[in-house]
Amino acid sequence: MLNIHNLSVSFQGEYLFEEITYRLGHGDRVGLVGKNGAGKSTMLRIISGEQQYDTGSIAIEKEVTIGFLKQDIDFVEGRTVLEESYEAFQEIKKLEAQMEDINTQLATRTDYESEGYNQLMIDINDVQQQYEVHGGYSYKGETERILQGLGFKREDFEKITDTFSGGWRMRIELAKLLLQDNDILLLDEPTNHLDIESIIWLETFLRGYTGAVVIVSHDKMFLDNVTNRTIEISLGRIYDYPKPYTEYLVLRKELREQQLASQKNQQKQIEQTEKLIEKFRAKASKATMAQSLIKKLDRIDRIEVDEDDNSVMTLRFPVSVTPGKVVVEAEDVAKNYGDKKVLQNIDLLIERDTKTAFVGQNGQGKSTLAKIIVGELEHNGKVKLGHNVQIGYFAQNQAEYLDGTKTVEETMIDAADERTRPNVRNILGSFLFRGEEVDKYVRVLSGGERNRLALAKLMLQPFNVLVMDEPTNHLDIKSKNVLKDSLKQFEGTLIVVSHDRDFLQGLTDRVYEFKDQRIKEYLGDIDYYLEEREVTNLREIEKRDVIKKVADKPKETKQSYEEQKKLKSLNNRLSKVESNINKLEREIKEIDVQLAVNYEETMAKPNFFENYNKKKKQLDQFMEDWEKITEELDALS
């Protein structure tokens, strides 16, 4: 579908990538990986046509459509969730406007025998046919299905998008993209704002996607579950393997070890040849042989070992004064957002030098309690900070706290005081903002670069309690490891909100689980917590919690077992029905395109009309099945 040949892009005289070549075909689900700033988002913008490249070529098959989910989106204010989602169907909306206009004319005119009235009848028939071809009679149901898959409830559909957080707006944008049925999907960090249920739904959707998908993500499990190919951008080159991320890492390591061994053997041969050349040069009788060896040496194709980009940020959180023994004490804390209760009767005690993890599904109040602790949210109940407590806070939506009109250096200088202002350049350098990079405007930074800048700002003010809300979002895997090591060495008190087990492993000494507006303490690390919950990872817990919403009854009872068995069967049936719906809709769309291009030739095919109607009837039946299964699932819930 798409071919990239010898593509080069440079910034300020340095190549981001140079003469790279690869192709995308049907069924390719590519994980595009690499360090922050390696050029992943740039690559997506180039493929989408939003950014120019220096040299090379991009060839795209005719009529191939591309959908692009960006990290930053702009919304028109005043639309409901459904109205915004329907923006995915621009052609259908135009046809609806035409039908409304024609129907208005037909209703008001009385010259039924005139040529003009007859033409209106022909026009309405043509428009209705086009409307059906474009899926006009099914798009509203499909929109609701996708929105529900991404976590929206029916009561959310008529709410104004302005009332939703940036994360929920990103879900609407993702829904619009999936509804457009593009041939190529470009997804930049699609899971950053999704809870586990929505991630699992998206994984299923993408695995059944027949077009090509290119995903930028630092979620290893998501990449392993969805992708069948990995392209890494490193030091201006790409490494392309037909394997998901974890398998790719193994292959990449093996290849590099083979290259090193081959290079070592070749180097020995070269050194031996060079010794012979020096030896023969000294003798006139051996001069011809020496020249022959020199030519042989020149012809050797030197083995190169793939370079690894091992540059990482330097991160060490300084501790200010020693606080009292109790740093945070909460008593009977509650928080509502309108009619929605998020936290109720929360009692919490955080002691000095402890490292605490907040875990649980999205919407259970983890970030809310973190904001209450740092004083950003009003609430009911009491929260008391201990003696000499000085808090450093890293917000989940960090991008909203940074001014895009300022440069990297200006951002730091404005946040510094007289004591730290002279060290701004050194601090930025340790976070990989070097040379001219400090003059970049914040608005052009990638998500990972913004996170690095936000971490750098934390270095400017003293603190002894660090509250971090999803700090690994947008960070590449090496940067995650650096951050984790730094937090391990941090001598103050840590509270971290995260759903990343790899990151939490060995980092904290206690876990608070957020569920049903309450919290539960586990006095151990994340592995102890998972062991207590009898699961192997956080994702499994959240999947299990979804099932348990059906019936919170003892496992021993026959009723509970039967209900869980029925739920599993319904979910399996629903997955198969959705897969069949997707398949039939694509087949019908292909036939509709053939009809639009060459109506007579297509209609002349043997049994065409019977087969076409059969597919439509099958689709209607599957849609009915989907509604029935969904109703049964709702009843169980």
Side-chain angles (χ1 to χ4, degrees):
M1 286 193 293
L2 181 144
N3 281 290
I4 290 176
H5 183 68
N6 286 343
L7 190 74
S8 297
V9 174
S10 61
F11 285 112
Q12 298 175 338
E14 290 189 13
Y15 279 105
L16 195 57
F17 29 79
E18 184 176 10
E19 295 188 350
I20 61 174
T21 297
Y22 64 93
R23 66 180 298 277
L24 294 176
H26 291 280
D28 279 342
R29 296 190 298 275
V30 179
L32 186 62
V33 301
K35 288 188 55 178
N36 294 136
K40 303 184 296 295
S41 296
T42 299
M43 179 65 74
L44 295 188
R45 288 195 294 270
I46 287 172
I47 294 173
S48 70
E50 288 195 2
Q51 183 168 325
Q52 297 298 311
Y53 48 91
D54 297 340
T55 58
S57 62
I58 298 180
I60 304 175
E61 288 181 10
K62 193 176 180 182
E63 296 182 353
V64 164
T65 57
I66 298 175
F68 182 19
L69 179 74
K70 311 170 195 174
Q71 291 181 14
D72 301 316
I73 54 174
D74 294 319
F75 263 82
V76 176
E77 294 183 356
R79 289 178 182 157
T80 66
V81 171
L82 275 180
E83 287 170 345
E84 184 63 45
S85 300
Y86 291 157
E87 288 297 304
F89 304 100
Q90 290 298 317
E91 188 61 32
I92 289 177
K93 292 180 73 176
K94 286 179 185 176
L95 292 169
E96 283 180 338
Q98 289 178 32
M99 285 194 295
E100 186 178 352
D101 179 54
I102 295 171
N103 283 324
T104 300
Q105 293 184 58
L106 289 171
T108 54
R109 290 178 63 159
T110 56
D111 53 337
Y112 307 120
E113 303 300 326
S114 70
E115 188 175 324
Y117 193 88
N118 184 54
Q119 185 59 49
L120 285 175
M121 294 296 293
I122 295 171
D123 290 344
I124 191 66
N125 185 55
D126 289 343
V127 173
Q128 284 175 339
Q129 282 187 343
Q130 291 181 54
Y131 188 70
E132 183 176 358
V133 166
H134 285 86
Y137 296 110
S138 61
Y139 80 95
K140 291 185 177 179
E142 178 69 0
T143 300
E144 293 184 12
R145 185 175 74 87
I146 296 289
L147 286 172
Q148 287 179 311
L150 289 172
F152 288 93
K153 298 181 175 64
R154 287 193 175 275
E155 54 264 34
D156 295 328
F157 291 170
E158 298 303 326
K159 292 179 181 176
I160 303 298
T161 59
D162 309 22
T163 63
F164 288 88
S165 67
W168 283 96
R169 291 189 186 188
M170 184 65 78
R171 294 187 195 209
I172 300 171
E173 194 68 15
L174 179 57
K176 287 161 60 179
L177 196 64
L178 300 182
L179 286 163
Q180 287 169 359
D181 198 24
N182 292 291
D183 300 296
I184 299 175
L185 275 182
L186 309 175
L187 306 178
D188 199 352
E189 299 283 8
T191 63
N192 269 1
H193 301 287
L194 300 183
D195 57 28
I196 196 65
E197 295 171 62
S198 300
I199 290 174
I200 293 167
W201 180 89
L202 182 60
E203 286 176 354
T204 303
F205 184 95
L206 293 176
R207 281 197 296 267
Y209 197 76
T210 57
V213 185
V214 183
I215 304 166
V216 172
S217 178
H218 300 123
D219 184 334
K220 290 189 288 186
M221 185 177 289
F222 180 72
L223 290 173
D224 284 341
N225 287 344
V226 172
T227 63
N228 55 20
R229 179 179 171 191
T230 300
I231 297 178
E232 180 182 8
I233 303 177
S234 178
L235 299 172
R237 299 178 61 185
I238 65 165
Y239 301 90
D240 187 353
Y241 287 82
K243 297 287 182 183
Y245 182 70
T246 300
E247 293 180 42
Y248 158 74
L249 289 179
V250 175
L251 286 175
R252 180 97 152 79
K253 183 180 179 184
E254 289 176 355
L255 175 66
R256 197 165 188 278
E257 288 173 353
Q258 291 170 7
Q259 288 175 332
L260 283 167
S262 300
Q263 188 189 57
K264 190 175 181 181
N265 290 332
Q266 187 186 64
Q267 192 58 36
K268 283 182 181 178
Q269 294 175 1
I270 290 171
E271 288 173 0
Q272 289 173 354
T273 304
E274 287 174 341
K275 285 179 182 177
L276 286 174
I277 291 171
E278 289 302 316
K279 183 178 178 182
F280 293 158
R281 269 179 176 166
K283 299 179 181 179
S285 60
K286 303 285 187 179
T288 304
M289 191 175 293
Q291 289 301 316
S292 176
L293 289 172
I294 290 171
K295 289 178 182 178
K296 178 184 175 182
L297 202 60
D298 290 339
R299 287 196 300 268
I300 289 178
D301 189 8
R302 306 286 175 124
I303 296 172
E304 292 185 2
V305 177
D306 294 338
E307 289 185 75
D308 274 339
D309 188 351
N310 292 313
S311 58
V312 292
M313 60 184 179
T314 306
L315 184 53
R316 183 173 178 82
F317 294 107
V319 179
S320 59
V321 297
T322 302
K325 184 177 180 181
V326 175
V327 296
V328 179
E329 186 174 6
E331 182 180 344
D332 199 26
V333 169
K335 177 63 181 177
N336 301 343
Y337 291 101
D339 295 331
K340 184 180 180 182
K341 294 180 180 179
V342 180
L343 296 172
Q344 292 293 316
N345 308 118
I346 300 298
D347 295 324
L348 177 74
L349 187 73
I350 303 289
E351 295 184 339
R352 181 180 62 219
D353 299 338
T354 56
K355 288 183 168 60
T356 304
F358 287 177
V359 302
Q361 289 176 285
N362 280 13
Q364 293 294 327
K366 305 185 301 294
S367 297
T368 297
L369 186 55
K371 289 178 180 177
I372 288 172
I373 289 171
V374 301
E376 282 207 353
L377 278 181
E378 294 182 2
H379 58 279
N380 296 323
K382 296 178 182 178
V383 173
K384 181 182 177 183
L385 299 182
H387 178 65
N388 275 343
V389 165
Q390 297 174 341
I391 293 181
Y393 176 49
F394 183 95
Q396 181 179 358
N397 53 337
Q398 199 60 53
E400 297 176 18
Y401 287 76
L402 299 173
D403 187 345
T405 63
K406 292 180 181 177
T407 66
V408 170
E409 186 174 22
E410 287 169 350
T411 300
M412 289 288 286
I413 289 173
D414 290 349
D417 55 24
E418 291 181 3
R419 179 182 58 84
T420 55
R421 197 166 289 124
N423 298 324
V424 161
R425 282 266 179 166
N426 290 335
I427 294 171
L428 285 174
S430 68
F431 283 83
L432 304 182
F433 292 105
R434 295 162 184 159
E436 295 178 348
E437 289 185 337
V438 301
D439 297 322
K440 280 185 177 179
Y441 283 99
V442 170
R443 62 174 175 267
V444 305
L445 298 180
S446 68
E449 288 171 326
R450 291 186 190 188
N451 266 25
R452 290 211 313 264
L453 178 57
L455 287 169
K457 280 182 68 179
L458 280 176
M459 304 292 102
L460 296 173
Q461 302 296 336
F463 54 84
N464 46 35
V465 176
L466 182 54
V467 179
M468 307 195 87
D469 190 357
E470 299 289 4
T472 60
N473 279 359
H474 300 294
L475 285 183
D476 62 67
I477 292 160
K478 288 181 179 178
S479 295
K480 280 186 189 182
N481 293 336
V482 171
L483 175 59
K484 180 176 177 177
D485 289 340
S486 301
L487 292 175
K488 279 183 177 180
Q489 296 169 20
F490 177 54
E491 295 176 356
T493 306
L494 173 68
I495 300 171
V496 58
V497 179
S498 181
H499 62 269
D500 188 333
R501 178 191 173 171
D502 289 337
F503 180 70
L504 291 176
Q505 212 163 23
L507 176 61
T508 62
D509 49 39
R510 67 195 61 209
V511 173
Y512 280 97
E513 180 185 43
F514 285 64
K515 187 180 177 186
D516 299 329
Q517 304 159 22
R518 306 300 297 271
I519 63 174
K520 182 177 179 180
E521 184 181 26
Y522 292 80
L523 293 175
D525 66 2
I526 195 69
D527 288 334
Y528 170 78
Y529 161 70
L530 294 171
E531 186 179 327
E532 288 291 298
R533 292 294 306 269
E534 298 179 349
V535 292
T536 57
N537 58 59
L538 295 177
R539 178 173 290 208
E540 195 175 330
I541 281 179
E542 298 185 25
K543 284 173 74 174
R544 178 186 288 187
D545 288 344
V546 174
I547 294 173
K548 283 188 176 179
K549 288 176 185 175
V550 179
D552 190 14
K553 299 173 184 176
K555 290 183 181 178
E556 298 78 36
T557 64
K558 186 176 180 181
Q559 185 181 11
S560 175
Y561 173 76
E562 292 300 327
E563 284 188 356
Q564 291 188 23
K565 188 176 177 181
K566 185 177 181 182
L567 179 71
K568 184 176 180 181
S569 173
L570 285 172
N571 278 316
N572 287 338
R573 284 172 56 197
L574 185 65
S575 179
K576 288 178 182 177
V577 168
E578 287 179 345
S579 177
N580 287 327
I581 288 171
N582 287 333
K583 181 183 176 185
L584 278 170
E585 284 179 339
R586 289 190 179 91
E587 289 176 357
I588 290 170
K589 182 180 178 182
E590 288 175 6
I591 296 171
D592 288 337
V593 170
Q594 292 173 20
L595 281 169
V597 173
N598 198 329
Y599 181 82
E600 292 182 1
E601 185 179 320
T602 305
M603 288 292 290
K605 291 179 180 178
N607 301 322
F608 168 79
F609 198 69
E610 291 83 353
N611 291 333
Y612 184 50
N613 279 335
K614 183 180 177 181
K615 287 182 185 293
K616 287 200 165 188
K617 287 178 182 177
Q618 285 177 330
L619 179 60
D620 290 338
Q621 184 58 53
F622 279 128
M623 291 299 289
E624 287 180 18
D625 292 344
W626 184 87
E627 289 180 9
K628 289 176 183 176
I629 295 169
T630 303
E631 286 174 3
E632 288 186 62
L633 282 169
D634 288 343
L636 277 174
S637 300

